Amino acid sequence: MTVNVVRDSSGLEKIILTEPRGSSAQVLLYGGQVISWKNEHGEELLFLSNKALFKPPKAIRGGIPICFPQLGSFGSLEQHGFARNRTWAVDSSPSPLPLANNKSTVDLILKPTDEDMKIWPRSFELRLRVCLGPGKLVLIPRVRNTDTKPFSFTFALHTYLSVSDISEVRVEGLETLDYFDNLNEKKRSTEQADAITFDDEVDRVYLSTPTKIAIIDHEKKRTYELRKEGLPDAVVWNPWDKKSKAIPDFGDEEYKQMVCIEAAAVEHAIVLKPCEEWKGRQELSTVSSSYFSGQLDPLRVLHG
Ligand code: TA6
């Protein structure tokens, strides 16, 4: 099936995914970035800043930026790597995944240019499958080493979720875990609270987390469930009021309507030998009000 690429009002190319129950998603070739995921009632589930700039080489503030080959800012590589501000292509040979033959799946690929090889001299293929299902959005990132030497990288799906009021949000599934606190010189601490709530800036990397995290939006009576594989860590970020004002492509008050929960591989870099491929997976789904706090029961979450 040929993939229908359309042009955004900003001039950037995108693919619109749809599925029979009526939900939809939009994926930009720029950054390989999902910028919209709407449920069957047309409600937007991802946060995209009103001040987001759709102007390469600026990364787009919102949706699901892909952080590769690093999360954070180390060495000479730009913050969160370069995958989020390169133009990807539609991948016509996603093997060993089967070819997608419907309107709800798209495969994208990013290969380094000669310029990229100057800043990160490794030959790779970064692939992303985005698959929309009834009530869920699945992302499958893969990295293949096409070089003659091993290389390592860190990775994150920097997911911006839309919430109605951050002060009414609880994140469950990370309690008792160790985390690096980006606001305190990356100091290692242990989470003491029975859930993460927000009344100030939070920027933490939780280590070796369970595969399921629940993000409960009390005001909206909606719970997001994030399930992940191949991405052992999880970043939780909200810039709160002061940091928001310092981010040019982010509204002063927008921190109230978003939270970033990022499936990530940060503590231990992923190492690939030549010809090896790494694969991750993130599944986002929503459950309505019947979700009770403290109830990370997969059957109830799926059928609730
Ligand atoms: O993942 C959290 C984080 O690394 C924060 O430290 C924060 O500043 C944020 O990502 C946004 O980064 P960006 O480069 O997109 O402005």
Side-chain angles (χ1 to χ4, degrees):
M1 193 182 108
T2 43
V3 175
N4 197 12
V5 180
V6 296
R7 222 166 259 286
D8 201 59
S9 53
S10 58
L12 296 178
E13 291 178 309
K14 69 181 176 188
I15 293 115
I16 299 174
L17 302 179
T18 54
E19 58 81 35
R21 287 247 301 260
S23 68
S24 65
Q26 297 187 22
V27 190
L28 286 180
L29 290 186
Y30 181 63
Q33 189 160 333
V34 178
I35 52 160
S36 167
W37 172 38
K38 286 185 179 160
N39 65 15
E40 62 271 28
H41 309 296
E43 294 167 327
E44 181 59 64
L45 302 171
L46 297 178
F47 168 85
L48 180 66
S49 172
N50 286 326
K51 292 176 83 178
L53 293 170
F54 289 75
K55 284 201 184 97
K58 183 82 191 98
I60 293 167
R61 178 74 57 199
I64 312 183
I66 309 285
C67 303
F68 172 88
Q70 71 175 10
L71 179 75
S73 104
F74 305 96
S76 54
L77 268 182
E78 60 203 271
Q79 155 114 331
H80 298 342
F82 51 77
R84 63 178 181 164
N85 57 16
R86 296 292 185 275
T87 300
W88 297 42
V90 172
D91 183 13
S92 50
S93 53
S95 171
L97 295 185
L99 264 181
N101 60 356
N102 56 51
K103 290 185 174 147
S104 55
T105 300
V106 69
D107 287 293
L108 301 181
I109 184 166
L110 180 72
K111 295 182 191 174
T113 61
D114 293 345
E115 286 306 301
D116 296 335
M117 292 291 281
K118 284 183 197 152
I119 54 171
W120 201 64
R122 287 110 178 136
S123 172
F124 67 86
E125 290 173 352
L126 169 58
R127 289 186 161 79
L128 179 71
R129 168 164 286 195
V130 182
C131 187
L132 178 72
K136 68 179 183 185
L137 179 72
V138 180
L139 269 65
I140 302 176
R142 291 183 285 153
V143 177
R144 185 172 292 170
N145 182 340
T146 50
D147 212 306
T148 51
K149 293 192 291 288
F151 64 69
S152 63
F153 61 92
T154 57
F155 190 94
L157 296 169
H158 201 301
T159 305
Y160 287 76
L161 294 172
S162 168
V163 296
S164 44
D165 176 0
I166 186 66
S167 55
E168 298 289 324
V169 169
R170 279 169 75 86
V171 178
E172 296 188 357
L174 304 175
E175 47 280 3
T176 74
L177 297 179
D178 278 8
Y179 63 87
F180 293 134
D181 192 348
N182 286 335
L183 302 177
N184 189 8
E185 295 166 344
K186 301 197 182 349
K187 195 176 141 225
R188 192 176 181 124
S189 306
T190 303
E191 182 58 63
Q192 305 293 343
D194 62 355
I196 300 165
T197 53
F198 301 83
D199 56 10
D200 206 344
E201 184 179 359
V202 172
D203 188 352
R204 297 177 185 163
V205 183
Y206 286 85
L207 306 173
S208 303
T209 80
T211 53
K212 280 179 293 179
I213 301 170
I215 301 98
I216 304 157
D217 182 345
H218 283 294
E219 182 149 317
K220 193 80 187 172
K221 298 192 170 42
R222 176 193 288 146
T223 293
Y224 293 96
E225 197 192 49
L226 187 153
R227 292 166 181 251
K228 59 195 181 70
E229 292 167 21
L231 293 160
D233 308 317
V235 183
V236 178
W237 180 57
N238 182 287
W240 216 252
D241 54 351
K242 237 165 80 196
K243 180 73 70 60
S244 296
K245 294 195 176 82
I247 305 176
D249 57 341
F250 192 79
D252 289 359
E253 302 288 323
E254 284 186 325
Y255 71 93
K256 294 175 183 165
Q257 276 105 52
M258 57 72 71
V259 63
C260 281
I261 307 292
E262 308 163 33
V266 189
E267 186 185 18
H268 304 294
I270 296 161
V271 182
L272 286 180
K273 294 193 192 113
C275 301
E276 275 185 344
E277 184 173 86
W278 163 84
K279 181 167 139 194
R281 186 175 195 277
Q282 169 177 291
E283 178 176 322
L284 282 171
S285 55
T286 58
V287 212
S288 65
S289 52
S290 58
Y291 187 95
F292 294 106
S293 177
Q295 176 195 316
L296 267 179
D297 175 336
L299 286 174
R300 278 172 185 265
V301 168
L302 283 178
H303 305 298

